[in-house]
Amino acid sequence: MRKRFVTLALAILFCAGLVPCASFAAEDAAWEEEALCFTDVSPEAWYYSDVKIAADSGLVNGKTETTFCPDEYLTWAEAVKLAACMNQIYLTGDVYLTNGDPWYKNYADYARMKGIISGEYDWDASINRAGYMGIFARALPDSALSAKNRVTDGSIPDVPMTYPQAAQIYKLYRAGVVQGDEEHFCHPADPIRRSEVAAILTRMMFESERKSLSLGPEETPEDTALRIVKNPVSVALMTEDETASFTVEIAGGRAPYIYRWVTEKETDSPPTSVSQTSGQRISTYSVSFPEDTFAVSKTVFVYCVVTDSEGRSTRSEKAGVTPYSDALRVLKQPEDRALRMPGDTAVSFSAEIIGGRPPYVYDWREELSSRTVSIQQISSETTNTLNVNDAEQLLSQSEEVTVYCIVTDSAGTKSVTDRVKLKKDFLRASVDPVDVILADPSESFTLTTAVSGGVAPYSYQWYWGVAADRVEDMSGWAAGYDKPTLTARPDPRYAVQYLCCRVRDAAGNVTFTPTVSVRSASAGANREQQPESGESAESDSEGNMA
């Protein structure tokens, strides 16, 4: 099990541009035998084992080859990068995140999109313990941080359930990832040190290193801790006068409950709140936002503080509200595409959006007759293109392919483009000439064709012969020989004559219509004859074939 996580850890390491300790051991057994290479990490330090495992596995690096600097602080930017890389390697087995401009931008955008973070920070400042735990509790899915400890709500001495990151801090305590100091104080406002980061990373990646503890009284059915089981979710207003609704669900505690719904802006203005008293475990709050709400604050948050009859409180996570003017919607739809000639391999579909919160997930769907292909791209740009580089091969599997895009912003709001088609549109005859039977061999006949597909404009050339498999160019023989409609008189020497039309498009593609016959109703004495060798039909001055 440990080797598997070492592989993941090293991938995070290389993504983050770190250099592992020189004493890294390739085999697990060697970890316990080799001394830690950092001279400033004492074997008696509480974090010695955590730093050794984290350094040997590549989760952290030293400041130099021989110093780890365990008491130095981590920045917000460094924390978000570690969390984004850890999430990506856990979900996909690989890391494709790279530095942006500024260097942490791509990691922050990815973390917002995955719900790991939700705002902007003083990126170069030291991150505190609560902020770090708030991020890393969301860096892995719940299944990877399942509870192993009994830590009842309110039992961490300096983290009441109304603390902003209470839910995430309690989650990590219960999972055994953190345990606080000797008395289990969290010290949430203190900056986090590199030694503590090493311990948390080690316990997140190696379940065997997680700590066991019990805090608070054991719960009974009659005295269950008050807790949130369903948080309100973010909304994007789709109309200017839309009323937004938020729902919270709780468990435990003693009724009746006071639900205090708080609306908070991104400014220094005080939050506003509305209280409801109820014996129910679910509360829904509906609110509309005046037109000037977003003039002073780009984003508004709504959350709920729940208090039971015994005074125990817990707080929900914050839900964001995106104004109508910024609602995610499609501005420019993709358009139908067609292959115009054999050998076409590349076509593209583009969509442009407006509003929403970057980064965006562009989930392009290709619906074939037997399956649907999903191609996802993550971008902060409002225009996105799907390049189909194997279009002809794709259309060999289906007569046509339906293409559309599901766009999701970092707040979880979705918008879907129109469904468009990819199909073959090669040059082909859309109207075929038909056989002609003449009552009078001296009367004229008319043949007509039409084409579609390919690349306009088209050029036409009619062919004539006395055998269906031997026709020749009619240039100059009859009026309309280079038009889609040909009018001519038959050669009276032959009872049956054969004609077809060759059509060429602007790209040089060529197609022939079916060969049709022109014959007299009664052949009479004019039996079918073949021209002598080297003889061909000629036109008279009136354009008749003579």
Side-chain angles (χ1 to χ4, degrees), residues 88-366:
Q88 193 169 74
I89 192 66
Y90 186 92
L91 295 178
T92 69
D94 198 1
V95 174
Y96 54 82
L97 289 168
T98 57
N99 287 359
D101 184 17
W103 70 265
Y104 53 79
K105 181 181 185 301
N106 292 340
Y107 306 103
D109 286 347
Y110 176 89
R112 287 192 197 91
M113 185 269 295
K114 290 296 184 181
I116 299 172
I117 63 174
S118 59
E120 288 289 335
Y121 305 96
D122 185 357
W123 298 105
D124 294 325
S126 298
I127 186 172
N128 57 29
R129 290 171 56 81
Y132 185 88
M133 293 181 201
I135 290 173
F136 271 77
R138 293 186 287 261
L140 295 182
D142 290 344
S143 59
L145 295 171
S146 56
K148 62 173 287 183
N149 298 324
R150 176 176 54 79
V151 181
T152 59
D153 284 4
S155 61
I156 301 174
D158 54 350
V159 183
M161 297 310 296
T162 53
Y163 197 87
Q165 290 87 11
Q168 291 77 39
I169 293 172
Y170 276 79
K171 181 179 181 179
L172 294 184
Y173 265 74
R174 288 166 179 153
V177 173
V178 296
Q179 60 180 349
D181 62 14
E182 293 181 354
E183 297 180 349
H184 302 301
F185 279 80
C186 176
H187 305 285
D190 291 351
I192 193 165
R193 303 176 188 274
R194 285 170 52 83
S195 56
E196 297 165 335
V197 169
I200 291 175
L201 291 175
T202 297
R203 295 168 196 166
M204 290 189 77
M205 297 301 290
F206 303 111
E207 291 186 20
S208 62
E209 302 299 326
R210 295 183 184 180
K211 304 300 180 182
S212 298
L213 70 154
S214 294
L215 292 178
E218 292 193 20
E219 299 176 354
T220 65
E222 295 75 28
D223 184 23
T224 306
L226 179 67
R227 58 193 182 277
I228 303 290
V229 295
K230 182 180 180 181
N231 286 288
V233 297
S234 298
V235 300
L237 304 180
M238 301 307 292
T239 62
E240 293 185 40
D241 56 353
E242 179 181 0
T243 297
S245 293
F246 305 89
T247 298
V248 67
E249 183 177 351
I250 62 170
R254 292 185 182 274
Y257 309 99
I258 298 174
Y259 296 92
R260 184 167 68 90
W261 286 96
V262 181
T263 301
E264 181 182 90
K265 301 178 180 179
E266 289 182 323
T267 64
D268 295 331
S269 59
T272 58
S273 64
V274 174
S275 295
Q276 306 169 353
T277 301
S278 171
Q280 303 298 316
R281 296 184 183 275
I282 296 178
S283 175
T284 297
Y285 174 56
S286 297
V287 59
S288 58
F289 298 91
E291 188 176 346
D292 62 349
T293 299
F294 300 97
V296 295
S297 180
K298 190 67 174 175
T299 304
V300 173
F301 296 101
V302 175
Y303 60 91
C304 188
V305 178
V306 187
T307 306
D308 73 356
S309 61
E310 296 187 356
R312 292 174 292 192
S313 292
T314 187
R315 169 178 163 170
S316 76
E317 295 180 0
K318 295 180 180 181
V321 182
T322 302
Y324 167 70
S325 59
D326 287 342
L328 178 67
R329 53 196 185 277
V330 178
L331 182 64
K332 183 179 179 181
Q333 302 284 354
E335 298 178 348
D336 291 336
R337 290 288 184 263
L339 301 191
R340 299 295 185 182
M341 65 185 83
D344 277 356
T345 57
V347 296
S348 62
F349 298 88
S350 293
E352 183 178 355
I353 60 170
I354 190 171
R357 295 182 185 177
Y360 309 99
V361 176
Y362 293 91
D363 184 5
W364 288 95
R365 303 291 179 90
E366 297 174 348

Side-chain angles (χ1 to χ4, degrees), residues 432-502:
D432 291 331
V434 296
D435 293 333
V436 175
I437 300 178
L438 299 174
D440 183 351
S442 65
E443 68 182 11
S444 61
F445 62 87
T446 299
L447 299 178
T448 298
T449 188
V451 295
S452 61
V455 182
Y458 311 108
S459 61
Y460 301 84
Q461 179 63 61
W462 287 91
Y463 282 69
W464 174 93
V466 294
D469 60 351
R470 193 177 68 185
V471 293
E472 59 185 37
D473 188 340
M474 287 181 64
S475 298
W477 290 14
Y481 71 91
D482 58 353
K483 306 293 182 185
T485 298
L486 169 72
T487 299
R489 289 192 178 93
D491 188 328
R493 293 176 296 173
Y494 307 103
V496 182
Q497 296 148 64
Y498 298 91
L499 297 98
C500 67
C501 187
R502 185 197 70 184

